[in-house]
Amino acid sequence: MRIPALALLAVVFSGAVPAPAQFGGVLGRARQKIEESRQKAKPVTDRAEKAAAIRPWTDEEEQQIGRATAAKMVAMFGVVEEPAVVRYINLVGATVARQAPRKMPYRFAVLDTEIVGAFALPGGYVFLTKGALLRMENEAQLAGALGHEVVHIAERHLETEIRSKRGSAWAIEEAQAQQLPLDQSIRQRADAFLHDLFNMRLSQDKEDAADRDGALMASRAGYSPRGLLTFLERMAQVNQSEENKRLFGQLLSTHPSFESRMQALQQTVAAAGDRGELLEARFRGAVPH
Ligand SMILES: [Zn+2]
């Protein structure tokens, strides 16, 4: 099955027109493709590690890799296309992202899967899963969770992480990229990036920074800083299926533990003060449970 993923991407992030969302079975095939692409690239590991260490992405590369990776995520999982939900998550996301330390066009979408997780891709693309959204209770939790992802993007956390890891699929691909035509290079680097996204965990200091700054951004936007904390408390209790363990993503990685993250976040929340909105009724109205 061939999926016009880039075309669909434009639709789901603008929320304009319904599009086909039947991607059953695509996830497994996409994973296989990503793995094949990674295997092909293996022999140049040493060169790759050197290349990866040298030069950070330009803003343009970041946008291109992010867009290609986001298209693959959409193709793998499908996205929730109800215009009201698309509008709502982009409204809340944009409100929080206005407080971000790096300005860029942040975009938000809901992956159509029961898996609980969230992903921050280069170039401003934030994905929350339907499974995560349905476990939230109010808009402050959503704002905190989206803020967490926005911080990962603003600070280029994943790019920094994969540059620092030996044998990251992306680092290997990066070394070959110089030899390829640009569109092919972007495609292959997106495959490799996605592989790392699913297989690497961010360091504790990056997760703590995303929790802290995400909660503070939500607070400055007018939400209760407790939103992210109470969402993490709920998530700590979620039954962790095998699928969830693999795909928890960058919001809900289980290493570092929820307990240590919540402990660190408590101090931020206490310092921010007990104020701001929860907006439970508006959340319930916008997200049908
Ligand atoms: Zn995270």
Side-chain angles (χ1 to χ4, degrees), residues 164-226:
S164 71
K165 292 254 168 75
R166 288 175 64 82
S168 101
W170 170 80
I172 292 164
E173 200 62 60
E174 185 80 348
Q176 295 189 325
Q178 328 290 343
Q179 333 292 335
L180 296 170
L182 185 64
D183 59 336
Q184 194 185 345
S185 142
I186 292 290
R187 259 201 321 276
Q188 294 196 8
R189 288 151 90 190
D191 277 346
F193 191 88
L194 211 52
H195 179 276
D196 288 343
L197 180 73
F198 288 146
N199 289 286
M200 281 191 176
R201 299 212 181 284
L202 295 173
S203 62
Q204 172 142 16
D205 62 324
K206 294 190 185 75
E207 288 302 346
D208 285 346
D211 285 339
R212 182 190 63 230
D213 295 344
L216 288 176
M217 279 163 48
S219 175
R220 285 201 302 273
Y223 294 104
S224 164
R226 295 189 56 78

Side-chain angles (χ1 to χ4, degrees), residues 148-149 152 202 206-207 210-211 249-253 261:
H148 176 107
E149 300 304 322
H152 280 322
L202 295 173
K206 294 190 185 75
E207 288 302 346
D211 285 339
Q250 297 160 311
L251 175 62
L252 301 170
S253 98
R261 285 176 61 188

Side-chain angles (χ1 to χ4, degrees), residues 212 216 219 225-226 229 264-275:
R212 182 190 63 230
L216 288 176
S219 175
R226 295 189 56 78
L229 181 62
L265 190 52
Q266 293 272 10
Q267 298 169 9
T268 302
V269 170
D274 192 11
R275 57 198 162 79

Side-chain angles (χ1 to χ4, degrees), residues 3-289:
I3 301 149
L6 274 174
L8 182 56
L9 191 65
V11 170
V12 299
F13 282 109
S14 71
V17 188
Q22 301 305 313
F23 297 129
V26 172
L27 179 55
R29 288 201 296 280
R31 279 206 187 113
Q32 191 186 348
K33 245 187 98 206
I34 290 165
E35 185 57 30
E36 283 166 9
S37 147
R38 197 177 71 90
Q39 292 295 339
K40 257 187 282 168
K42 256 185 177 160
V44 290
T45 305
D46 289 347
R47 266 197 300 142
E49 284 170 3
K50 280 179 197 136
I54 294 169
R55 184 180 61 81
W57 295 335
T58 63
D59 289 349
E60 198 190 345
E61 280 175 315
E62 185 191 6
Q63 286 292 328
Q64 287 174 321
I65 291 168
R67 188 161 181 266
T69 314
K72 285 173 193 294
M73 292 284 279
V74 170
M76 273 195 226
F77 294 100
V79 284
V80 172
E81 292 161 23
E82 293 159 57
V85 175
V86 172
R87 263 198 309 275
Y88 179 65
I89 190 172
N90 276 282
L91 175 75
V92 176
T95 302
V96 176
R98 229 167 272 140
Q99 309 294 328
R102 185 157 67 106
K103 304 298 173 212
M104 59 195 302
Y106 293 96
R107 287 157 283 209
F108 304 84
V110 180
L111 294 177
D112 195 3
T113 168
E114 299 306 318
I115 294 167
V116 177
F119 300 93
L121 303 186
Y125 294 93
V126 175
F127 289 101
L128 186 69
T129 66
K130 189 169 72 182
L133 187 63
L134 292 181
R135 284 176 171 84
M136 291 176 178
E137 303 163 296
N138 57 53
E139 195 171 305
Q141 293 181 348
L142 175 61
L146 296 179
H148 176 107
E149 300 304 322
V150 166
V151 174
H152 280 322
I153 295 173
E155 306 289 357
R156 291 191 172 200
H157 278 166
L158 194 60
E159 182 188 350
T160 313
E161 191 77 27
I162 61 184
R163 275 177 201 287
S164 71
K165 292 254 168 75
R166 288 175 64 82
S168 101
W170 170 80
I172 292 164
E173 200 62 60
E174 185 80 348
Q176 295 189 325
Q178 328 290 343
Q179 333 292 335
L180 296 170
L182 185 64
D183 59 336
Q184 194 185 345
S185 142
I186 292 290
R187 259 201 321 276
Q188 294 196 8
R189 288 151 90 190
D191 277 346
F193 191 88
L194 211 52
H195 179 276
D196 288 343
L197 180 73
F198 288 146
N199 289 286
M200 281 191 176
R201 299 212 181 284
L202 295 173
S203 62
Q204 172 142 16
D205 62 324
K206 294 190 185 75
E207 288 302 346
D208 285 346
D211 285 339
R212 182 190 63 230
D213 295 344
L216 288 176
M217 279 163 48
S219 175
R220 285 201 302 273
Y223 294 104
S224 164
R226 295 189 56 78
L228 180 56
L229 181 62
T230 57
F231 182 59
L232 290 182
E233 283 165 3
R234 282 175 74 75
M235 288 306 94
Q237 295 153 10
V238 166
N239 179 5
Q240 293 176 21
S241 67
E242 273 311 303
E243 185 78 339
N244 254 346
K245 277 181 188 156
R246 273 189 293 127
L247 287 176
F248 246 16
Q250 297 160 311
L251 175 62
L252 301 170
S253 98
T254 50
H255 170 84
S257 71
F258 282 118
E259 284 69 27
S260 68
R261 285 176 61 188
M262 288 187 297
Q263 217 167 25
L265 190 52
Q266 293 272 10
Q267 298 169 9
T268 302
V269 170
D274 192 11
R275 57 198 162 79
E277 303 286 338
L278 291 175
L279 299 183
E280 185 172 353
R282 189 159 83 171
F283 181 80
R284 297 278 175 203
V287 179
H289 280 63

